[in-house]
Amino acid sequence: MYIRIKAADINNTQVKKIEELSGQNIFDCYQCGNCSSGCPVVDYMDISPNQAMRLAQYGRIEEVLSSEMIWICSTCLQCSSRCPKGIDVAKVMEAFRTINLRNGIGVVNPKQLGITETKDIPPILLICAMRKMTG
Amino acid sequence: MKLPYYPGCTLKANARHFEKSAIQAMEKLDFQLVEMKDWVCCGTVFSMTSDDLMLQLASVRNLLRAEKQNLKELIVLCSMCYNTLKRANDFIVKDKGNLEKVNNFMYKENLTYSGKIEIYHLLSILKDRIGFSVIAEKVKKKLSALKIGAYYGCLLVRPEELAIDNFEDPSIFEDLISTLGGESLDFAYKLECCGAYQTVTKKDVSVKRVYEILNSARESGCEAIVTSCPLCAYNLDFLQKDVEEEYLDFNRIPVFYFTELMAVALGCGWDKNWSSLHFTDPEPLLREKGLI
Amino acid sequence: MKAFEPKIVCFLCKWCTYAGADLAGTSRMKYPPNGVVIKTLCSSRIDPEHIMLAFQQGCDGVFIGGCHPGDCHYQSGNYKTQRRIVLLKKMLKQLGINPERLRLEWISASEGNKFANTMIDFTEQIKTLGPVPKTSGKEDK
Amino acid sequence: MKKIGVFVCHCGVNIKDTVDVEKLTEQLAIYPGVTYIENYMFMCSDPGQNMIKKAIKEKKLDGIVVAACSPTLHESTFQNAVEEIGLNKYQLEVANIREQCSWVHNNIQEATRKADLIIKTAIEKLKLNESLKPVSAPLTKRVMVIGGGIAGIQAALDIADGGYEVVLVEKKPSIGGHMIQLSETFPTLDCSQCILTPKMVQLGKNKKVTLYVNSEVESIDGFMGNFKIKIKRKPQYVDPDICTMCGDCTDVCPVVVHSEYDEGLSWRRAIYVPFPQAIPASFTIDTENCLGFEPIACGECKKVCQAEAINYDVKTEFFEEEIGAVIIATGFDLYPVENIAEYGYGKYPDVLNGLQFERILSATGPTGGEMLRPSDGKVPKEIVFIQCSGSRDPERHKSYCSRICCMYTLKHAKLYKHKVHDGQPYIFYIDIRSGGKRYEEFIQQAVSEEGIVYIRGKVAKVYKKGDKMIVHGMDTLTGKKVEIEADLVVLAQSIVPSEGVEKLIKTLKLSSDDSGFLMEAHPKLRPLESLQSGFYLAGAAQGPKDIPDSVSQASGAAAKILALMSKDEIQHEPIIAVVDENMCSGCGICIGTCPYGARILDENKVAIVNDILCEGCGACISACPSGAAQQKNLTDDQINNMIRVILS
Ligand SMILES: Cc1cc2nc3c(=O)[nH]c(=O)nc-3n(C[C@H](O)[C@H](O)[C@H](O)COP(=O)(O)OP(=O)(O)OC[C@H]3O[C@@H](n4cnc5c(N)ncnc54)[C@H](O)[C@@H]3O)c2cc1C
Ligand SMILES: Cc1cc2nc3c(=O)[nH]c(=O)nc-3n(C[C@H](O)[C@H](O)[C@H](O)COP(=O)(O)OP(=O)(O)OC[C@H]3O[C@@H](n4cnc5c(N)ncnc54)[C@H](O)[C@@H]3O)c2cc1C
Ligand code: SF4
Ligand code: SF4
Ligand code: SF4
Ligand code: SF4
Ligand code: SF4
Ligand code: SF4
Ligand code: SF4
Ligand code: SF4
């Protein structure tokens, strides 16, 4: 329950990386919360999409990278379609995942997916999950 | 008339009835869906990272091969493939630099992609090219007594640039249902995500989504759901098993592909094999309504 | 040899930059005395021909000060000026005059500081560029 | 050639310590044109001024340069001094050798050299200065107010009080604007109609006021001080002077339509009074809905009207008024709910906009002031209010803050609590903006004592489930999604310029800002005036505003006009553009350049300048490709001579 805000963190290189990967300006966000209130899976998230945006504004990218929420986001684009500031929030979420994935961090390990669980699942669903969540 | 179409892997696997019913229904409308040759995976999901050209390659390879086969357009049935192919196409067409890089990478294809292939969803073809009024004339068995909830999910309407209709208040699906003589009922969750690939990692997320969506449809009086996405169809239909265990007030509800309903209405009848590809078998409902 | 002292003509809009220059004075800020001011009601009064004449007559730098975008006393004069200056800079280049010799800045009545700093900076810049070429066509730095 | 006198000031030590005034005097004495030169310790002092006057008289000077402080400080002092002795004030120039020389430089040699140049530029300019007179024109002492809301009413009353005639043009059948629809008003919760109706009556009775209702401005001619304005009045078919307000006609009228006054929540007939306190007090026939009397298809109302007030033969009339100045007070409208898909697109009867809720709260409203919801007439036990609906959303709706909705939403919640004691209001907000006097206290009191729950976050979706409205929102403070089963939802829709105002703006050749509100001449220093001379702004027409602000602006604009009317003629600075008609090629480039519409091409295709409208910016002059245009006392020759002298 304590954050040390430092000038050096705001707009640090990690924030710039997120902005570059997503093509979005993190500082456009004025914290209206519309992204979160429309998000269909926010009730399973540890931090909400608007909180992820806020943490990014403070430069606390690590905190978002290690959160569960970025993996729970199902890229439905509801947030992007409603953001009053025109931020493509889903792209920001994708940028967080991408940084993790490029560092080999993911939550789906294809080798560990059980055959019985997956045999009925359509290929498109499996491949999607692997592309979005295999580091 | 011939229409070149892109099936995608799932239409050859879990969603065989989607493809079959589409071909049959389109024949009744005097259109022949011709599968494009040498297609590969659509890429399954569009990568939204600005520098991830690698992840666009699968999509573009299909577009390039379509061009090689002298096609001008591709008709897509699966919402997911539609979304991925169309966005990938936009991504490289809007930025010449991207197009060039992708082409260079695929030099072995012996052709460079010009960016001129148009991607359409079958629903748009039905509405804009064939016209609902024309279809209405060919309906043999009106779906009169059937109360249907049109489920769009995310991929047909988001992002706004590729939405096949108004992205906040679409009606193309409902209009098709009325064309076929059915009654379409509005429900609050028709544009909400089904949980998508969370089914693989966090099934409980999808299960809750499916419960909420189907319940909302039920409460609005729907007897069946119609969709155009094999991913949604899987979640909405097959997860009903888990929903049942989790939520005691839940009642099963059949989930159709829109082409199945078209096939029935246009007089192709119901293929027994299709039933086995559903979890909640729609046959009893169709029988009850006297449609088969 | 005496060091090069550039001659600079400053066109200042009465409502903003002229008042900003006055404020630099009342605040006793210091800047080099190279620029001499011609006051206009609006920066949009300045005709490219005046600027060309100045360069012809051996002026080493021309400075134009106007109101910030949106603050123009006459609604849109500063936008008109901006468009003209962009074009003029291209012309200067063709005539072999370094376009850097012409500077446009938005300085409000409250920006005495900015006025003084701009004068310091601009004079420095012109000093490094050296005197304006006497005959047109001769390569400017 | 002019005989020029130069007076160099020491300003105590302020100039003298950095500029060698003696040397300057010596050098400049021999400068061409200079007949007389002197220096003195304090030029602005009485002895200083007398020195100038004396020199003018004795040396017959016809041009004066005072080298001293900035002209902003003492130019008018010296101008007055020379005028006293009969010299035109435009024959005086001030050379700024203090603020822009002695105070900003250290080196005496350099500063003196620069002061020398500054004075020479002033001399060069002065040589070609003309003697000018202020531009003046006659003034029609009548004022038009367009829009009869609280802003228009207040402005009209103030001007009439000041003794001038007012013509008020209102497009609806009655004055009153939106304020007449309100229940009680923040922050004091006094009854809106109780404070407005007396003003309306006062206006209706005022002999100095001519009221045109059902009317709009059709066209305009002329310029500040002398407008000719054409008004189009649609027929009411009922003569207000004869109608006794008995209401017999309404009872027999077979047509029933939604009432505008009740925002569609109740019904009225085709012959109706907009509301009981309407001014002018009269019935009106709404031709759009009346079954028609061309040929007479119904005619029931006329049959029963014993006073014979109804006349179907009245036609649309046109009037021309001569006007000196105009106030625009056309107010606002609410952004249509239909534009917001996720809140139900206006399709749910239990999703209301703020004005509809005002009507439900109002004792004169469709429910007689009882808190009942439209769908089934039940008392709503839980209400969700959604702020910023359509505001602060540059991506999809309006980018600006509508400024009044935070306040009226809280007022709504509070008034609701007063009516339904066990009811629960929730307000979704992003920020609470309560900047007015006693506004914040009004909010805090309600939060701590009235049980109103504020939830910080935007609502994503509203939908119907059974007889409840389900609201999905976010509480960004706890980071949790919230869901509320409400009985009623009220949207604080953004405030937008009133419908059709863009047409009025075009007709009057005014300008609007990027949101369509009328544009003020300067956001801070001239917020009551339009950029175009002779037009003034009041109320929500200029931007979202509450009643106190609308009234302040209206009275302010009225005061500006009273100041204008107190003169016999209008006058302004003569430093304006002139066109040499022999040189003008008629290309028309200058026409579009002028921000004030002061330039037109005459019948011979020669550009002319309207002296009264020209503000002297000079934009047209530098735009003219033929060199046909000049600015008085700042001609191209003057500027070029100044440049030459600087570079000499
Ligand atoms: C729901 C709600 C609640 C509010 N509650 C409060 C409150 O409690 N306290 C408070 O201080 N403020 C409140 N306000 C704000 C208040 O309504 C406005 O401040 C006020 O009405 C502005 O007055 P106006 O005269 O500028 O505009 P309006 O009231 O809009 O009047 C404009 C008039 O001009 C007329 N008109 C428009 N166009 C033309 C035309 N082209 N030609 C001729 N006539 C034209 C219109 O018919 C209208 O009569 C509330 C507003 C809303 C929406
Ligand atoms: C930090 C700060 C920043 C601001 N920034 C902005 C901004 O960016 N934009 C903006 O629009 N506004 C800004 N403002 C607000 C702006 O300063 C005020 O709106 C404005 O100054 C108010 O003007 P005034 O004439 O009413 O009062 P004041 O400026 O306070 O003038 C009142 C005058 O009355 C004199 N006086 C007081 N009592 C007496 C007496 N008994 N007898 C005689 N004379 C008396 C005082 O000496 C003073 O000269 C800012 C304010 C502050 C504090
Ligand atoms: S919707 Fe947009 S502005 Fe609002 S909190 Fe989310 S990202 Fe920020
Ligand atoms: S894209 Fe992700 S974060 Fe955005 S609404 Fe969908 S699930 Fe939530
Ligand atoms: S005229 Fe100006 S410079 Fe001269 S004494 Fe007066 S204030 Fe000082
Ligand atoms: S019946 Fe005649 S007098 Fe009575 S209200 Fe109607 S118009 Fe007026
Ligand atoms: S003529 Fe028109 S207004 Fe009169 S009663 Fe008939 S419908 Fe009503
Ligand atoms: S006044 Fe309040 S409710 Fe209205 S737009 Fe501004 S912040 Fe939103
Ligand atoms: S000087 Fe300015 S205001 Fe006057 S006519 Fe020219 S452009 Fe218009
Ligand atoms: S720009 Fe010059 S030449 Fe052209 S119409 Fe205007 S005054 Fe005449």
Side-chain angles (χ1 to χ4, degrees), chain D residues 596-614:
Chain D
Y596 304 97
R599 287 283 210 149
I600 45 168
L601 283 180
D602 69 6
E603 58 275 15
N604 304 323
K605 283 263 186 185
V606 170
I608 49 176
V609 178
N610 184 323
D611 291 359
I612 308 221
L613 296 180
C614 174

Side-chain angles (χ1 to χ4, degrees), chain D residues 238 242-249 271 283 304-307 309-310:
Chain D
V238 180
I242 305 179
C243 173
T244 63
M245 299 289 282
C246 67
D248 292 348
C249 49
I271 185 162
F283 276 68
V304 299
C305 178
Q306 288 180 346
I310 303 175

Side-chain angles (χ1 to χ4, degrees), chain A residues 1 6 11 28 51 66 69 84 113 115 129 133 135:
Chain A
M1 300 299 268
K6 296 198 289 287
N11 223 345
D28 270 348
Q51 287 174 325
S66 58
M69 75 86 62
L113 285 176
I115 291 293
M133 304 196 278

Side-chain angles (χ1 to χ4, degrees), chain C residues 22 30-31 44-45 80 84, chain D residues 70 103 105 593 622 634:
Chain C
D22 275 355
K30 301 292 175 220
Y31 55 83
S44 68
R45 170 68 182 94
K80 293 176 188 132
R84 280 184 198 143
Chain D
S70 169
W103 276 350
H105 307 307
T593 315
S622 46
L634 193 65

Side-chain angles (χ1 to χ4, degrees), chain D residues 42 87 95 121 203-204 275 348 397 409 447 450 541 560 570 611:
Chain D
F42 293 112
L87 187 66
T121 56
L203 189 83
F275 44 90
Y348 303 122
H397 306 293
T409 297
V447 174
E450 312 235 21
K560 286 249 165 204
I570 45 171
D611 291 359

